[in-house]
Amino acid sequence: MTRGGDQPGPRDAAEVDLDFFILDSGPTVEPLYTPDSLRSRGIDPERDIGVPAAYPYTRGIDKTPPRAHQPLIKFYTGHAGPEETNDRYRKLVGWGVEQIQMATDLPSQIGFDPDHLMATGEVGRAGVSIASLADMEVAFEGIPLNQLSRVGMLFNCDGPVGLALFVALGEKQGLRVEDYIVDLQNDPLKEYVARGTQFLPIRSALRLACDVVEWCARKAPHWYPLDVCVNHLNAAGAGSTYGTAFALSNAEAYIEELLSRGLTIDEFAPMLMMFLDERDDFFSAVANIRATRRIWADLMKHRYRATDPRSMALQITAYGHGRETRREPLNNIARIAFGTLAYYLGGVQTLYDASFDEVLSVPSDDAARVSVRIQQIIRQEHGFGLTVDPLGGSYFVESLTTDLERGIRKALAEVEEMGGAISAIENGHMRRVIGEGAVRRQKRFEAGLRPMVGVDRNVDNNEGAIAIPLNRVDPAVEERQKERLRQVRAGRDGAHVRKSLAAVLEAARAGSNVVDPCIDAVRAYATVGEICDVFREAFGEWQPSTEF
Amino acid sequence: MPGPIRVLIAKVGLDGHDVGARVVARGLVDEGMEVIYTGLRRTPEQISAAAEQEDVQVVGVSILSGAHLVLLPRVREALNERGLEQVMLVAGGIIPDSDIPTLEASGIDAIFHPGTPVPEIAAAIKKRIGLTHDIDRTDRNHRNDREERSR
């Protein structure tokens, strides 16, 4: 094995290390796929592949090709204060972005106001600081929510607050919920094993997430209240096969909670999305999407007895990534473009992509624009979007789709045998698989089995020739946000705030839906931290684990 | 013979990405070190208290949230306030090269980027500790108790 050099020496096929052909997603790629590959896997083209927009949805949920029905160009961003973020949003809209997914800072996601001790140094980092409706008003100044195809944020562990912020902002802008579309990530379960913004006991978090879905089912059925995420599970180390299985088990936990509230599957399943992710290998990304659609359709039809085809047709979002490197960061443009193209060809509904400088800092304007352009190039140049599922029917892609489907189903069955997602989180199964996967990946990387051009191959020893300007967050933002918070608290109707927070507490304790009381509290300019403190009071707090 | 090097791996602030921290923690165990992990979301004060209580020679802080210029110097200060000036403080995460001089001037001894092979981190620690640490630790029972707890 050659490392660090330019080229491995000449060697015959028998000498090539077979480890190179083992995908991060599990299967080993064969040198040739033929009709026999399909036969040996028992693939029945009519039953298993079918046609687009029909069960089992392997080939996608749309009848028309992407050229006629493009996946939305989504952008995940937000940094510093709402002013800086508004500036970025206006530019994004100008460049052609159709969905803005707000990146908020960690204090906002974990329910700490900017003046909380735990928020020290974190305000406006990794996302925009959103402490109250006042910050939302600034962030979306001059951008009516109905001017975008969709708008949303993560708020995985404080989903009802995120939903309330958008409802109240819409009201401020003179809009009704019918006029715009909100897309929330609102997927707390994966936070406990992979992303880390959990702050409540897990069952309480599950319940709050389902309050959001239930509210939307009744009052805004055209919204997307929950994106069940593979992304963070995979990135943390699970790999896309286990990550998809864990996400599906999380989806089952949400679905079972919602069914237990008396909703029917067809009342809410069409609103659910999955955030799929496979960034190590192009064809695995395509096959993972196709396999997951097939599994979802089967689950909906046979386990949950859905009858509405929209429940069975899984809507997918994805984040185009490569394995971006710090060295020679412009190379990341190529990596991101390949990752994004895989999702486009796999047939997703909304698509965003990373920025080439993201591994270094919050993306700069220039890098953000390149990300938008990557999607626009895929959409319009070449013929990527001229036909539905252009890779469907490939012996390789169909074989890999089936191989991945089997791996995902097996890993899902393991979780189901343990009693489902919450058991697999609480008994350490998910965390163990993720931890082992992260170690396995690191070892493969260290062994040079997943080459990184410019890092462990084709290394330029004059590294640093291209300097990337870093996008800095001004430390003054933290003080500015604390000052706005003081003004908000001084200027609001204290009695209304107290009454509305008491109503949130009462709903939380009574087990009734907290969304309407949260909307009222947000309207009164109660802060994210204050509402989350009510949740803490009602439910208690999550405690971190020191296992590794 | 000095005992194994004791390391506290810590997550400071609100950043919840602890895969890297846990990979490094396991890797350092493979390198023969004793490792304690704080779990997520610790303040600099909590980290320095744990470092004192666990009698470590090295504190490794993982941070990916971008708050490193604020939080890492505070960890150093909190360690120093407890008289732990000699404790090696290393950091890993998304830290721009241009911040490294500032952090080094604040008493952060080494900074590792994502993807750094664990043996490289271990070598840096061993080199530094080998130079400064030659205390023969005889308090075996005391340490064994801690090993139990850290598992």
Side-chain angles (χ1 to χ4, degrees):
Chain A
M1 251 229 39
T2 309
R3 276 199 73 200
D6 281 346
Q7 296 294 332
R11 28 184 197 175
D12 60 43
E15 279 182 70
V16 174
D17 191 335
L18 280 177
D19 285 346
F20 275 108
F21 296 86
I22 301 172
L23 297 171
D24 188 69
S25 54
T28 299
V29 176
E30 299 161 17
L32 175 69
Y33 289 83
T34 64
D36 273 344
S37 311
L38 303 187
R39 274 194 290 275
S40 68
R41 286 171 173 80
I43 297 171
D44 174 340
E46 272 187 36
R47 181 195 64 201
D48 300 324
I49 303 172
V51 295
Y55 189 89
Y57 297 97
T58 311
R59 304 203 61 195
I61 69 170
D62 292 316
K63 275 199 179 78
T64 51
R67 195 65 181 244
H69 189 180
Q70 297 281 9
L72 293 181
I73 298 179
K74 164 170 158 184
F75 209 96
Y76 175 62
T77 190
H79 70 290
E83 292 85 354
E84 290 86 352
T85 296
N86 180 255
D87 181 57
R88 166 65 61 82
Y89 288 176
R90 287 168 187 254
K91 287 175 184 159
L92 290 173
V93 172
W95 295 331
V97 165
E98 296 154 330
Q99 172 174 1
I100 287 177
Q101 208 68 3
M102 296 184 89
T104 63
D105 66 5
L106 289 165
S108 318
Q109 295 184 49
I110 303 174
F112 293 118
D113 285 335
D115 57 356
H116 193 283
L117 171 70
M118 285 306 295
T120 308
E122 310 267 14
V123 177
R125 311 253 178 209
V128 56
S129 166
I130 298 292
S132 76
L133 178 57
D135 292 322
M136 295 292 284
E137 291 164 12
V138 176
F140 285 93
E141 202 182 317
I143 307 170
L145 297 180
N146 60 348
Q147 191 186 323
L148 295 158
S149 298
R150 290 187 202 176
V151 65
M153 54 165 58
L154 273 54
F155 273 50
N156 284 294
C157 299
D158 45 2
V161 184
L163 187 73
L165 285 166
F166 278 111
V167 172
L169 177 63
E171 289 170 356
K172 285 271 166 183
Q173 293 188 342
L175 302 172
R176 300 162 305 157
V177 295
E178 294 78 29
D179 297 331
Y180 60 106
I181 298 178
V182 171
D183 176 344
L184 289 182
Q185 194 165 88
N186 185 38
D187 169 24
L189 292 180
K190 55 87 169 64
E191 299 290 323
Y192 291 80
V193 291
R195 190 168 170 276
T197 67
Q198 68 279 22
F199 63 95
L200 299 172
I202 191 164
R203 285 176 177 77
S204 306
L206 171 76
R207 177 219 150 162
L208 291 183
C210 290
D211 280 2
V212 171
V213 180
E214 183 184 31
W215 188 92
C216 289
R218 304 203 191 285
K219 300 190 179 173
H222 61 303
W223 286 11
Y224 297 90
L226 173 56
D227 299 343
V228 187
C229 300
V230 176
N231 180 70
H232 319 85
L233 295 162
N234 178 30
S240 63
T241 295
Y242 272 93
T244 305
F246 292 168
L248 284 165
S249 76
N250 291 344
E252 290 173 358
Y254 299 124
I255 289 167
E256 278 150 28
E257 164 70 18
L258 288 158
L259 292 174
S260 78
R261 297 181 181 197
L263 290 161
T264 67
I265 188 76
D266 290 325
E267 279 179 301
F268 65 86
M271 302 189 300
L272 303 180
M273 297 188 69
M274 283 190 78
F275 179 0
L276 300 186
D277 185 68
E278 158 60 51
R279 61 183 77 167
D280 201 72
D281 175 69
F282 185 94
F283 290 105
S284 294
V286 174
N288 174 276
I289 287 172
R290 302 172 84 256
T292 307
R293 273 197 299 255
R294 195 149 74 200
I295 297 169
W296 180 270
D298 175 36
L299 274 176
M300 288 301 135
K301 185 172 182 173
H302 296 112
R303 180 171 312 172
Y304 296 115
R305 305 283 170 198
T307 54
D308 185 341
R310 294 180 310 138
S311 299
M312 301 174 216
L314 177 63
Q315 301 208 51
I316 295 167
T317 188
Y319 195 15
H321 259 294
R323 282 235 193 136
E324 292 105 72
T325 64
R326 297 170 50 85
R327 294 178 81 143
E328 301 185 26
L330 290 176
N331 299 345
N332 295 331
I333 295 173
R335 298 187 173 104
I336 292 162
F338 287 132
T340 307
L341 178 60
Y343 295 138
Y344 187 86
L345 296 177
V348 301
Q349 279 59 55
T350 73
L351 183 54
Y352 48 151
D353 53 328
S355 297
F356 66 81
D357 60 355
E358 205 164 307
V359 69
L360 299 165
S361 70
V362 173
S364 64
D365 275 353
D366 283 343
R369 190 175 51 203
V370 170
S371 301
V372 178
R373 298 301 182 231
I374 287 171
Q375 288 214 51
Q376 289 166 334
I377 289 166
I378 289 173
R379 267 188 179 192
Q380 298 170 92
E381 300 183 10
H382 297 275
F384 296 126
L386 298 180
T387 187
V388 184
D389 188 31
L391 300 178
S394 146
Y395 303 127
F396 173 39
V397 169
E398 296 301 349
S399 298
L400 190 56
T401 298
T402 293
D403 291 350
L404 293 185
E405 180 188 0
R406 286 181 184 156
I408 295 165
R409 283 183 183 275
K410 182 164 171 282
L412 176 59
E414 282 169 17
V415 174
E416 288 169 345
E417 276 159 29
M418 287 173 193
I422 291 186
S423 303
I425 293 167
E426 288 182 337
N427 72 16
H429 173 69
M430 286 196 197
R431 209 166 145 87
R432 190 163 53 247
V433 168
I434 290 168
E436 284 165 4
V439 170
R440 177 184 52 79
R441 267 188 192 160
Q442 175 73 11
K443 288 195 167 148
R444 274 178 70 86
F445 173 74
E446 285 172 15
L449 288 170
R450 173 57 166 82
M452 299 295 288
V453 170
V455 177
D456 65 358
R457 299 290 198 285
N458 316 103
V459 179
D460 180 351
N461 292 319
N462 302 316
E463 194 219 345
I466 302 167
I468 297 294
L470 293 183
N471 191 24
R472 292 284 184 183
V473 175
D474 183 349
V477 167
E478 189 158 329
E479 284 313 311
R480 202 209 305 151
Q481 283 301 95
K482 285 184 190 173
E483 179 52 33
R484 176 175 289 120
L485 189 60
R486 274 191 288 275
Q487 287 169 9
V488 164
R489 288 195 176 127
R492 64 190 184 179
D493 175 352
H496 185 185
V497 173
R498 279 190 300 278
K499 191 167 157 266
S500 65
L501 288 175
V504 175
L505 182 62
E506 197 188 323
R509 285 195 171 142
S512 53
N513 195 306
V514 301
V515 172
D516 278 325
C518 282
I519 294 170
D520 193 42
V522 166
R523 278 184 196 130
Y525 292 89
T527 66
V528 172
E530 288 164 346
I531 300 172
C532 290
D533 278 347
V534 170
F535 295 152
R536 290 181 176 98
E537 190 184 339
F539 303 128
E541 284 194 66
W542 166 83
Q543 297 301 326
S545 158
T546 58
E547 282 170 33
F548 59 86
Chain B
M1 271 292 291
I5 296 171
R6 291 177 60 79
V7 183
L8 179 72
I9 296 292
K11 285 296 297 185
V12 69
L14 300 180
D15 164 32
H17 295 94
D18 70 343
V19 174
R22 289 192 288 133
V23 168
V24 170
R26 289 182 185 203
L28 294 180
V29 169
D30 292 344
E31 293 280 339
M33 300 185 193
E34 288 181 8
V35 181
I36 299 115
Y37 174 48
T38 62
L40 293 178
R41 232 176 274 166
R42 301 301 178 181
T43 62
E45 180 52 35
Q46 287 170 330
I47 291 167
S48 69
E52 184 177 56
Q53 198 184 340
E54 299 288 353
D55 193 22
V56 298
Q57 294 126 293
V58 183
V59 173
V61 179
S62 156
I63 182 160
L64 292 91
S65 68
H68 50 273
L69 285 178
V70 177
L71 294 177
L72 290 178
R74 289 200 186 187
V75 174
R76 179 80 267 172
E77 285 164 22
L79 288 170
N80 293 355
E81 279 162 19
R82 288 178 183 267
L84 302 177
E85 289 89 351
Q86 81 291 353
V87 167
M88 182 185 190
L89 176 58
V90 303
I94 302 180
I95 297 171
D97 289 336
S98 50
D99 288 345
I100 291 177
T102 314
L103 293 172
E104 284 176 347
S106 312
I108 289 77
D109 296 299
I111 289 148
F112 300 102
H113 294 313
T116 307
V118 178
E120 206 173 287
I121 299 172
I125 291 174
K126 284 174 184 166
K127 188 175 169 205
R128 162 73 181 251
I129 301 300
L131 291 174
T132 60
H133 180 77
D134 55 0
I135 303 160
D136 185 4
R137 295 177 164 230
T138 51
D139 194 1
R140 289 257 161 213
N141 292 331
H142 184 44
R143 195 169 58 237
N144 286 341
D145 283 346
R146 283 186 180 144
E147 272 181 67
E148 287 297 315
R149 269 193 291 143
S150 67
R151 289 292 164 256

